[in-house]
Amino acid sequence: MRNGTFRSVALVALVPLVMAVAGVLVLQSQLRARLVEAVQTRLLAEAQGFAALYDQRRIVALREAIAYRSTRGDPAGSVYVLTDRAGAVLAGNLDGWPDGIAVQDTAQQVQIDGRPYLARAQDLRGGFGLLVGVSLLPVEQTLAQMRRVFAAFGLAMLVAGLAAAWGVARQAQWRTARMNAALAQVGGAGGLGLRMPREGGSEHAELADHIDAMLARIAHLFDAHQRLGNAVAHEMRTPLARIRTRLDALDLDAVARAGLDDEIRATIRLFDSLLSIAQMDAEAGNTTTLHPVDLGQIAAGIVELYQPVAEEEGRRITTQIDPDTQILGDEHLLAQLLSNLIENGLKYTRPGDTIAVTVRRDGAKVRLRVQDDGPGVDATLREQLFTPFARGFDTGSKPGHGLGLSLVRAIALRHGAIPRAPATEKGFAIEVEALHFSTQE
């Protein structure tokens, strides 16, 4: 059981136990007060009885009465002391007046021979001293027995509470684990067609209904989006193809014809890019068609292809590639991603600038970084560049429609990664971080 679940179980079990302990303490305090009050009433009655006897029949009768009570034995363990003017004991069951007990009008709780008593000490006319004490031991024994009973009952409550809370927590944890597993399948091989498991008529079943409705809605939107994209691409590519056919029949000079062909090809590429982005977005996170590929080898191959172009344009491409940079991916899509990034670097750098391609193994991660030392991009625009048709400042003269980094983002999401444009001291950089293949097994 996880620490968080254990804490929840302990909290559920301990809260009622703490409340029960607080209730027992209050109850014990009130019960003790009542018992002591009863003892005090008895003590007062007995002391007043002795005083009245002394007033009526003097010291001899009182001495006989105390002697009788002392020798008769009291199951409650009372103590009696009657002393003369000099403090000598005349009667009682103690050898002398206990230390620390002063004459006063109220009863006092004292210790006599290590036992608790409620005692009343008073002076009688003629200088005689009278001490009457009633043992509080029965009260303490009653309270101690009550504490033992409540302790046993509390322990039973704690065990029962922990067992019940553990059972409820395990059931909730099991249901949550099943839903997490199902949601992981939705984001992976299962796709949006999967549905959540249900557990009777519980709140989890209601939650599963809501998640299913949300998945159905998302799937419908994806389908509608893809159908619309396909329809637009088909409807636009077909008339463009017809235009190209009709251009062949026109008597145009070669320069004009080449310009028109370039415009048509650029328009077709634009629709192809939009379709690719839509398709990548629809399959984001779906790993069923991915397989282990070495990102470093793919990067090296793409760099080798672009080296002649870079040298021709006065740029330099460098590589730093770690061994064992396998990830789960599609090599064609990853090649497309790298091509876009390198073309982006070639397009927005100046002669003499360098484009650095690095593929690093960082623990369980493989990090691809393409960085140039060109003029860079304004910091406020860096993250917006992944949005379709977004472009940086002063890039109006550059060819393109602002879809290159959008396609990079779509391909990265297809592989379960999120690209980012980190801040750099000079130039512009894009990083894509993927999970190493051995960690995904």
Side-chain angles (χ1 to χ4, degrees), residues 26 43 52 101-102 121 180 193 242 251 270 300 312 377 389 407 432-433:
V26 172
L43 174 66
I101 298 180
N180 277 333
R242 289 175 185 160
D251 185 16
L270 170 62
E312 185 178 336
V377 177
F389 305 110
L407 187 57
V432 178
E433 193 176 77

Side-chain angles (χ1 to χ4, degrees), residues 9-88:
V9 168
L11 185 64
V12 169
L14 287 177
V15 166
L17 181 63
V18 170
M19 295 179 65
V21 169
V24 168
L25 292 177
V26 172
L27 178 62
Q28 176 179 292
S29 175
Q30 292 182 346
L31 179 60
R32 189 178 192 282
R34 292 288 182 87
L35 293 174
V36 170
E37 184 180 356
V39 172
Q40 190 171 5
T41 301
R42 174 192 165 191
L43 174 66
L44 181 60
E46 199 161 18
Q48 289 176 343
F50 285 137
L53 180 64
Y54 173 74
D55 290 339
Q56 295 171 4
R57 300 178 59 185
R58 300 304 174 188
I59 191 64
V60 177
L62 177 60
R63 184 176 182 177
E64 291 177 350
I66 289 179
Y68 172 76
R69 295 295 300 270
S70 300
T71 56
R72 178 174 174 267
D74 187 348
S78 299
V79 294
Y80 307 94
V81 177
L82 176 66
T83 61
D84 61 11
R85 298 180 182 84

Side-chain angles (χ1 to χ4, degrees), residues 5 15 76 81 90 100 102 132 174 181 216 245 295 318 347 358 376 381 431 438:
T5 306
V15 166
V81 177
L90 299 177
V132 180
W174 177 72
T245 303
L295 185 58
T318 63
K347 187 186 299 182
T358 59
L381 292 178
E431 275 191 1
S438 63

Side-chain angles (χ1 to χ4, degrees), residues 112-173:
I112 300 176
D113 294 335
R115 294 181 179 183
Y117 283 87
L118 186 65
R120 180 182 177 88
Q122 63 185 85
D123 287 332
L124 302 177
R125 286 181 302 168
F128 299 101
L130 175 62
L131 171 68
V132 180
V134 177
S135 175
L136 292 175
L137 192 58
V139 173
E140 300 299 338
Q141 288 174 340
T142 300
L143 293 176
Q145 186 175 5
M146 188 191 75
R147 285 195 295 270
R148 285 194 293 272
V149 171
F150 277 113
F153 183 69
L155 181 61
M157 281 183 59
L158 177 62
V159 173
L162 284 174
W166 181 84
V168 172
R170 286 291 297 173
Q171 189 176 27
Q173 192 179 33

